[in-house]
Amino acid sequence: MPSYERVMGTVCLVNLYDNNKQKCYDEIFERLRQIDEEFDADKKQSDIALINDFGFERPIMVCDDVYSVLETAVKISEITEGAFDPTVGSLVSLWKIKSGSPHEVSANDLKEALSVVGYKNIILDPESKSVRLKKKGIQLDLGAIAKGFATDEIVKIFKKHKVKKAVIDLGGNIYVYGKKSLSKPWNVGIKNPQLPDSVPLVKVALPEISVVTSGVYERFYDGSAKSYHHILSPSDGYPVDNDILSVSVISPSSMLADAFATAFFVLGTEKSLQVLYSARKEFRMEIDAIFIEKDRGIVFSENFPYFYSILYDEWERKSPKSPL
Ligand code: AMP
Ligand code: MG
């Protein structure tokens, strides 16, 4: 029986395909609750809340989990030239993303929130594992990477318990673990952003790996022509509006897949394909991507190594605008 729990602001579902693994399930959900306590900016004593409240006044010593995720987050901010930025907290609050109540924001409020966005203001000290903020008011938000980190931590627990095969779905962060069967790979479906509750748009045959999608399945309208959603451009502060409906990133590291899915959504397809090369080199990791665009074209990263099928006639594979 699969097991699930509400944690990290979402539902986490784990299926171990084995009835004698209650201990493993217990360990997994305990670990997830611990990660939630460390990362949730709304929990007053979390490391992230402490950095946000006092990181300008003094260096804040943090746990290994938070330190290593922040280190990766800053590296990804550098590689993506700030398209990914863990200091978007002020913008997330301004747009009331967590409460899901869309509304217009004033130019003044936007300017103020943007003035405290910038990953270069995060100072990490590897010796003391402490974090300092160079500017007052900076608000860290690791919502675009923490679930990926947590997914990788679950995989570590699988290894410890010698799990043979399992599936994780942590709020859309998917990990297929082990071999599905001797003859068959895992099949992972990528949602049709225009029909998210229907048949998947793409089916991909995969070995043990993670698939993470950043997409805009729900756009909120407030009656004006504008739409609101949860992925924000750190350069102008608005919800990103480009050719992309969703980006799925496939990698053995769920943390990288999570962060790059968000980053690629901000960067747009062509720029992302360039960044993908640097990302693979920097992290020495397989990273592939599928971009689903508004014109019903689907772009796959170059030399995409997995078999896939597109399940709708009106959608087709297309080449990026400017081939590399
Ligand atoms: P994801 O669903 O993984 O794409 O992450 C989206 C969440 O990450 C949002 O709800 C925000 O909390 C945060 N976020 C939004 N825009 C960015 C960005 N440009 N860089 C980093 N985090 C972001
Ligand atoms: Mg993400």
Side-chain angles (χ1 to χ4, degrees):
M1 279 281 282
S3 188
Y4 67 93
E5 196 169 305
R6 257 207 96 78
V7 66
M8 300 184 83
T10 185
V11 175
C12 176
L13 188 126
V14 180
N15 191 352
L16 297 172
Y17 296 90
D18 184 341
N19 288 330
N20 298 315
K21 290 278 186 216
Q22 192 53 44
K23 264 201 181 136
C24 184
Y25 278 128
D26 291 345
E27 199 172 322
I28 287 167
F29 289 109
E30 195 179 321
R31 178 78 174 112
L32 290 180
R33 275 177 249 127
Q34 180 193 20
I35 293 171
D36 204 4
E37 292 295 320
E38 295 165 350
F39 284 85
D40 187 347
D42 294 332
K43 293 197 166 82
K44 270 279 158 231
Q45 287 306 312
S46 74
D47 280 358
I48 299 300
L50 292 174
I51 299 169
N52 289 346
D53 289 345
F54 306 109
F56 176 67
E57 288 155 30
R58 55 183 160 89
I60 308 293
M61 299 247 277
V62 295
C63 63
D64 289 354
D65 291 345
V66 167
Y67 193 85
S68 73
V69 172
L70 266 174
E71 219 172 28
T72 307
V74 168
K75 243 188 231 169
I76 293 173
S77 305
E78 284 163 1
I79 292 176
T80 63
E81 291 170 8
F84 181 91
D85 193 319
T87 64
V88 290
S90 58
L91 291 170
V92 171
S93 308
L94 178 67
W95 290 102
K96 296 198 169 64
I97 279 169
K98 285 183 190 156
S99 65
S101 51
H103 66 305
E104 285 275 0
V105 304
S106 76
N108 254 346
D109 289 350
L110 192 65
K111 202 171 149 202
E112 203 176 299
L114 264 176
S115 72
V116 285
V117 172
Y119 68 91
K120 290 180 182 158
N121 295 303
I122 304 173
I123 318 280
L124 299 175
D125 178 19
E127 287 285 304
S128 59
K129 296 242 166 91
S130 68
V131 184
R132 207 165 57 74
L133 300 174
K134 269 207 278 188
K135 225 183 215 177
K136 201 174 165 110
I138 295 253
Q139 298 290 302
L140 298 185
D141 176 327
L142 294 174
I145 186 170
K147 290 204 287 284
F149 167 75
T151 305
D152 290 333
E153 291 303 296
I154 299 176
V155 169
K156 285 187 191 161
I157 298 173
F158 288 165
K159 291 193 171 136
K160 186 176 138 197
H161 286 263
K162 300 194 168 37
V163 168
K164 289 210 175 65
K165 72 170 174 175
V167 172
I168 306 167
D169 179 353
L170 207 182
N173 279 56
I174 307 292
Y175 209 113
V176 285
Y177 179 83
K179 265 199 154 72
K180 187 183 183 198
S181 71
L182 280 179
S183 55
K184 281 194 193 125
W186 296 99
N187 266 314
V188 175
I190 310 285
K191 277 187 184 180
N192 180 340
Q194 293 174 337
L195 295 168
D197 299 320
S198 190
V199 179
L201 175 55
V202 185
K203 215 169 63 178
V204 195
L206 293 170
E208 176 177 312
I209 209 147
S210 183
V211 184
V212 183
T213 300
S214 272
V216 179
Y217 306 123
E218 282 176 64
R219 281 174 185 265
F220 304 103
Y221 293 91
D222 70 343
S224 70
K226 294 212 177 67
S227 70
Y228 304 93
H229 61 80
H230 69 299
I231 303 176
L232 303 165
S233 159
S235 54
D236 67 13
Y238 278 90
V240 171
D241 190 11
N242 58 20
D243 296 339
I244 295 180
L245 288 171
S246 78
V247 185
S248 299
V249 176
I250 305 173
S251 173
S253 160
S254 195
M255 171 159 64
L256 293 184
D258 191 0
F260 279 110
T262 311
F264 291 168
F265 192 96
V266 179
L267 283 170
T269 307
E270 278 68 30
K271 185 81 183 131
S272 298
L273 290 170
Q274 291 167 15
V275 168
L276 199 73
Y277 283 99
S278 344
R280 284 176 182 156
K281 255 198 218 148
E282 169 74 30
F283 293 102
R284 294 199 190 94
M285 189 67 84
E286 293 161 45
I287 304 173
D288 284 282
I290 303 173
F291 302 84
I292 297 178
E293 299 195 344
K294 287 177 182 162
D295 66 356
R296 296 193 165 163
I298 307 173
V299 177
F300 292 80
S301 51
E302 213 186 7
N303 302 322
F304 189 78
Y306 311 109
F307 285 110
Y308 65 86
S309 43
I310 297 172
L311 304 182
Y312 289 75
D313 290 342
E314 59 274 34
W315 288 80
E316 58 184 16
R317 179 173 187 163
K318 75 173 201 187
S319 308
K321 271 185 213 122
S322 47
L324 299 164

